[in-house]
Amino acid sequence: MAVKEQNYSGCQLTWLVLLRVAIGWHFLYEGIIKIINPSWTSLAYLMDSKGFMAGFFTTLAENDGVLKIVDFCNEWGLFLIGLGLVLGIFTKLSAYAGILLVSLYYLSHPPFLGIEFAFPTEGNYLIVDKNLVEILALAVTIVFPTGRIIGLDRFFRINK
Amino acid sequence: MADDQNNTTENKGSDKGGLKVGRRDILKGLATVPIAGALAYGVLRKARLDRLKALKSVANELGLNTDPIVGLPLTDPDSKTINLGLIGYGIRGKQLAQALGFAHPTMVDDMISGVSYTPVDMFRKQENLNIRITAVCDIFDTYGRMARETGANVNREGSDGSLGAELPTRYRTYQELCAAPEVDAVIIAAPDHWHGPMTMEAARNGKHVYCEKPLTWTVEETYEVRKVVKESGVVFQLGHQGRQTDNYIKAKEAYEKGIVGRVNLIEVTTNRNSGNGAWVYPIHEDASEETIDWEQFIGPAPWHDFSLERFFRWRCWWDYSTGLSGDLLTHEYDALNQILDLGIPSSAVSSGGVYFFKDGRTVPDVLTTQFEYPNRNLSFMYSATLASSMDRGKKIMGHDGYMDIGRSLQIFADQNSTKYAEKIQNGEIDTAEPIYIFTPGLAGGVDGISSATADYFAARGLLTTVRNGLEVDTTHLHLKEWIDCVRTNKVPSCNIDEAFEEAMTAHMGTLAYRNNRQIFWDAANEEIII
């Protein structure tokens, strides 16, 4: 169960807010970079999918219309989730959406034994990769929410 | 944040007192807004840097872009329908028919079931060129029957569908087909020793010709074929579909803009490693002396008793084939002739042998050939093996840079370049990274996650993948160019002059190997000197 927000010590709150804002920054920047590059597409990433859900992801990529929708949702999803986490607005909803989105990345490129990707990775991963860590970190921000203390969600609480 | 507990108390107080938002609330509520601002500032800085980098890129400075190649306009459905005759319905004949939009129902079945490399959607969406197949000729009865059914399958359906058109006439000889009034143009996909005679027969009958490579089997007939084609005025295209490859078109542009400086060495290769790749083609179960017109197969070749191996695997014998030189070196040569406008080399040396496929063949399965172009100050090196599939691409080496052409085109600056010395010195050019990269279908530099990943993908050519089932088949484009030229009476890209250069160059490579000595080209008299 979520801890009551007002019970955090100053130190706890500081690190929780930093964690939330850092994840938000990561999402937001990824989203903006994709939005401002008109030729960006997830085609390559999806086509490189491996593992038990690879068929689903490559099907998305093979249809031009579907791919456009996927690209749009990904770009603006990243942007809005990032903005939500940084500003602390709809913080919990943003975190849930973030978990959903990153889970899709994780499932399309699962770091399981025996799977090799064309996409270069900058580290070595077995089951746990940075996507999974980010998913878990987002889960932490859900059970230790901070948006209503430091963030625009504070105004919703006050107005209730 | 340290006074959060005070804050909570304060808020409780304010709820009771009806005061909704305090100064502290505003501070805390908006505390992270400056962070979003910092990020926005970072994005703006990055965008400016990227713009600057793009403007300063060498390729950009020299006017080389990654815009997609503009293709030929779609065929006008109201244009004149061209009637085609197919001569030869073996492996290549089937591929050409498919690239024209005609496949045998059983081949469509294979596409549907996934046995075929071509997805059925890709085939069905291929542009309709407004052509009809009105005549076919194959000396093997089964192929002759299949060719008719293929020509009639305008519906592009499988065995459970309907063909949609009348069966074309099957002629027993190519001469009869070439004389047939219902034929405007012919596609020649017969063995090498028939290319010359069939092309001439068609041209003399006023039929336009699309002929598979190489143009000829012997040196002597090469002159005659060129003469007959030119005199007849028919539209001739040699089957080097590489002419339609976006990479080569961009490479030519880059070469002409001097991006790699003075080219002094070219290295091209063939690597295959399978029975099929080494011309050990399957022998059809229906094939026999009763179903094959053996005498017609032999034609100008030396007599040999009936042999199924020789009929289906003719590429393995000089009696019918031009070997690696005619079959595969020509593809490499034609690509380079397209990019650098090389013409016929001054000399050739070759060596190699039958080193892997000890199956009685006379043509080598490992071959190296070197052509000299002293007038261009460059050497052209070709090496081939049919027993190793290491992919080596095409390399064009110049003093200022080099090109590596695989499924994508990559251009690097040379670390000792004169032209780029200053830019390399001040860090504007990193010689470890390509200064230009182009992958067909990836125009505009489609990004995966970052530009580095996109470059990586482009280098591996991984992105030339299916998009809505519309991967471009270069053979289709090459045939389309020829048919468009037939309609408009224009000259296609791989015309008879290019074909003459291709054939003579291939013959020089073969003669050097077979005579085990250097072979020269006398340009003034257009003669090969052994």
Side-chain angles (χ1 to χ4, degrees):
Chain A
M1 260 323 287
V3 177
K4 283 224 181 304
E5 292 178 36
Q6 48 269 61
N7 293 345
Y8 299 140
S9 72
C11 185
Q12 286 167 335
L13 182 67
T14 304
W15 290 108
L16 284 171
V17 170
L18 282 176
L19 177 65
R20 189 196 83 205
V21 171
I23 299 172
W25 179 293
H26 181 212
F27 272 77
L28 187 55
Y29 188 67
E30 281 278 16
I32 293 172
I33 288 299
K34 288 168 174 56
I35 291 166
I36 62 177
N37 177 359
S39 59
W40 178 85
T41 167
S42 57
L43 174 73
Y45 190 78
L46 292 172
M47 290 306 289
D48 189 35
S49 295
K50 299 275 159 59
F52 64 99
M53 291 200 44
F56 166 70
F57 291 109
T58 48
T59 309
L60 293 182
E62 278 165 9
N63 185 302
D64 235 10
V66 176
L67 184 66
K68 280 204 182 89
I69 296 169
V70 169
D71 283 349
F72 180 84
C73 292
N74 190 45
E75 289 170 4
W76 289 97
L78 283 166
F79 179 81
L80 292 174
I81 292 164
L83 205 62
L85 292 172
V86 169
L87 298 180
I89 183 163
F90 305 121
T91 323
K92 209 170 249 186
L93 179 68
S94 300
Y96 276 118
I99 288 175
L100 178 73
L101 197 56
V102 181
S103 298
L104 291 172
Y105 302 161
Y106 180 82
L107 291 171
S108 80
H109 283 63
F112 297 163
L113 266 186
I115 297 184
E116 295 216 356
F117 298 98
F119 257 86
T121 51
E122 80 289 24
N124 299 289
Y125 306 110
L126 175 67
I127 301 170
V128 177
D129 63 0
K130 291 180 185 177
N131 282 333
L132 189 63
V133 174
E134 197 159 30
I135 291 168
L136 298 177
L138 279 167
V140 169
T141 68
I142 291 170
V143 292
F144 295 98
T146 52
R148 291 190 174 189
I149 306 170
I150 302 292
L152 295 172
D153 280 342
R154 184 182 184 100
F155 301 119
F156 290 98
R157 185 184 73 165
I158 294 163
N159 284 323
K160 248 196 274 182
Chain B
M1 281 179 217
D3 60 353
D4 193 62
Q5 277 172 339
N6 295 341
N7 176 45
T8 349
T9 325
E10 181 193 312
N11 270 336
K12 275 177 189 163
S14 52
D15 281 351
K16 276 178 197 161
L19 185 63
K20 297 283 180 187
V21 183
R23 193 175 68 91
R24 198 175 288 272
D25 289 321
I26 291 175
L27 282 176
K28 293 200 167 184
L30 301 177
T32 55
V33 172
I35 294 174
L39 190 132
Y41 176 68
V43 168
L44 281 175
R45 290 274 318 259
K46 185 189 154 33
R48 199 173 305 142
L49 265 172
D50 286 351
R51 229 184 358 260
L52 217 63
K53 220 169 112 190
L55 278 173
K56 277 181 129 178
S57 91
V58 180
N60 197 58
E61 275 177 21
L62 292 166
L64 199 62
N65 58 39
T66 52
D67 294 348
I69 306 290
V70 180
L72 294 165
L74 289 175
T75 304
D76 178 1
D78 297 327
S79 60
K80 180 182 181 294
T81 301
I82 307 290
N83 295 323
L84 297 179
L86 300 185
I87 307 177
Y89 194 70
I91 296 172
R92 191 59 186 157
K94 291 180 180 71
Q95 290 167 351
L96 291 174
Q98 187 181 311
L100 287 165
F102 298 83
H104 191 263
T106 55
M107 285 171 69
V108 179
D109 291 344
D110 286 347
M111 294 178 203
I112 293 167
S113 66
V115 173
S116 165
Y117 174 75
T118 313
V120 73
D121 278 358
M122 176 177 163
F123 171 65
R124 285 183 176 154
K125 284 178 188 163
Q126 186 178 285
E127 185 189 335
N128 187 332
L129 300 175
N130 191 16
I131 47 178
R132 285 194 308 168
I133 294 177
T134 49
V136 299
C137 175
D138 195 287
I139 56 172
F140 172 34
D141 289 341
T142 303
Y143 285 176
R145 177 183 52 78
M146 285 178 77
R148 293 186 78 200
E149 288 160 3
T150 299
N153 191 14
V154 293
N155 291 342
R156 304 189 186 185
E157 285 179 2
S159 301
D160 54 356
S162 58
L163 295 173
E166 266 180 55
L167 291 169
T169 312
R170 180 185 170 201
Y171 291 95
R172 295 284 159 181
T173 67
Y174 71 91
Q175 290 95 335
E176 290 169 88
L177 183 142
C178 289
E182 77 272 19
V183 173
D184 301 321
V186 300
I187 309 268
I188 300 170
D192 293 356
H193 66 304
W194 276 115
H195 290 180
M198 286 173 176
T199 298
M200 288 188 280
E201 183 73 20
R204 286 189 180 116
N205 279 280
K207 315 294 187 192
H208 306 286
V209 178
Y210 180 102
C211 182
E212 264 310 315
K213 45 80 202 172
L215 177 66
T216 54
W217 178 57
T218 67
V219 174
E220 296 71 36
E221 64 183 351
T222 313
Y223 301 102
E224 208 188 336
V225 173
R226 180 178 63 173
K227 186 165 172 274
V228 171
V229 167
K230 287 204 164 185
E231 283 175 2
S232 69
V234 298
V235 176
F236 177 88
Q237 174 97 300
L238 189 68
H240 283 298
Q241 65 275 6
R243 292 270 166 177
Q244 315 299 331
T245 303
D246 291 359
N247 279 343
Y248 304 168
I249 297 166
K250 285 287 182 190
K252 183 180 176 66
E253 208 181 312
Y255 169 73
E256 285 171 354
K257 288 183 192 298
I259 290 188
V260 294
R262 283 172 54 189
V263 171
N264 42 72
L265 182 62
I266 293 162
E267 195 180 327
V268 290
T269 59
T270 294
N271 279 82
R272 289 179 171 186
N273 193 13
S274 68
N276 211 51
W279 313 312
V280 189
Y281 302 129
I283 291 170
H284 200 284
E285 55 186 13
D286 297 350
S288 71
E289 278 186 85
E290 283 68 50
T291 56
I292 291 170
D293 183 347
W294 181 249
E295 273 185 40
Q296 217 189 149
F297 169 77
I298 292 287
W303 178 258
H304 192 283
D305 287 340
F306 182 78
S307 157
L308 285 174
E309 281 80 17
R310 284 181 172 245
F311 184 75
F312 286 97
R313 300 168 183 169
W314 54 267
R315 283 191 196 279
C316 299
W317 288 274
W318 291 122
D319 288 352
Y320 331 100
S321 163
T322 50
L324 273 168
S325 203
D327 187 30
L328 298 167
L329 161 60
T330 51
H331 271 317
E332 303 298 316
Y333 166 78
D334 189 70
L336 271 299
N337 195 23
Q338 177 187 352
I339 298 167
L340 281 91
D341 196 15
L342 289 174
I344 300 169
S346 300
S347 70
V349 286
S350 295
S351 65
V354 183
Y355 293 147
F356 193 86
F357 289 92
K358 309 277 188 188
D359 52 5
R361 66 179 61 199
T362 54
V363 304
D365 53 16
V366 175
L367 180 75
T368 62
T369 295
Q370 180 143 341
F371 296 122
E372 297 303 329
Y373 288 88
N375 58 331
R376 300 286 297 268
N377 292 302
L378 68 87
S379 287
F380 178 115
M381 255 167 79
Y382 171 74
S383 64
T385 171
L386 297 181
S388 169
S389 44
M390 178 180 181
D391 185 12
R392 295 174 292 162
K394 298 173 181 48
K395 294 171 177 63
I396 300 174
M397 293 162 245
H399 168 67
D400 293 312
Y402 47 93
M403 297 191 203
D404 194 347
I405 312 173
R407 287 187 69 186
S408 67
L409 162 68
Q410 294 192 77
I411 304 176
F412 293 81
D414 191 288
Q415 57 181 344
N416 298 115
S417 152
T418 306
K419 185 177 183 167
Y420 303 125
E422 204 184 310
K423 283 185 167 19
I424 294 169
Q425 181 77 32
N426 66 23
E428 272 181 64
I429 290 179
D430 175 3
T431 53
E433 299 282 329
I435 52 174
Y436 177 79
I437 192 158
F438 179 82
T439 304
L442 243 190
V446 176
D447 195 341
I449 286 183
S450 65
S451 60
T453 348
D455 290 348
Y456 178 87
F457 260 87
R460 291 176 58 137
L462 210 82
L463 282 179
T464 50
T465 180
V466 181
R467 253 211 175 199
N468 252 8
L470 281 182
E471 187 174 307
V472 187
D473 175 358
T474 50
T475 302
H476 165 74
L477 294 177
H478 203 48
L479 285 158
K480 174 181 161 66
E481 188 203 11
W482 171 64
I483 289 163
D484 282 4
C485 288
V486 166
R487 284 206 184 91
T488 55
N489 200 26
K490 285 189 181 142
V491 182
S493 56
C494 205
N495 58 57
I496 192 66
D497 289 321
E498 308 279 332
F500 181 84
E501 292 175 352
E502 176 249 26
M504 285 305 185
T505 305
H507 291 319
M508 283 173 71
T510 302
L511 289 169
Y513 173 79
R514 298 191 74 180
N515 289 283
N516 199 18
R517 63 190 295 177
Q518 192 169 14
I519 302 295
F520 295 90
W521 174 250
D522 174 354
N525 297 308
E526 288 200 316
E527 260 179 11
I528 289 178
I529 299 163
I530 300 174

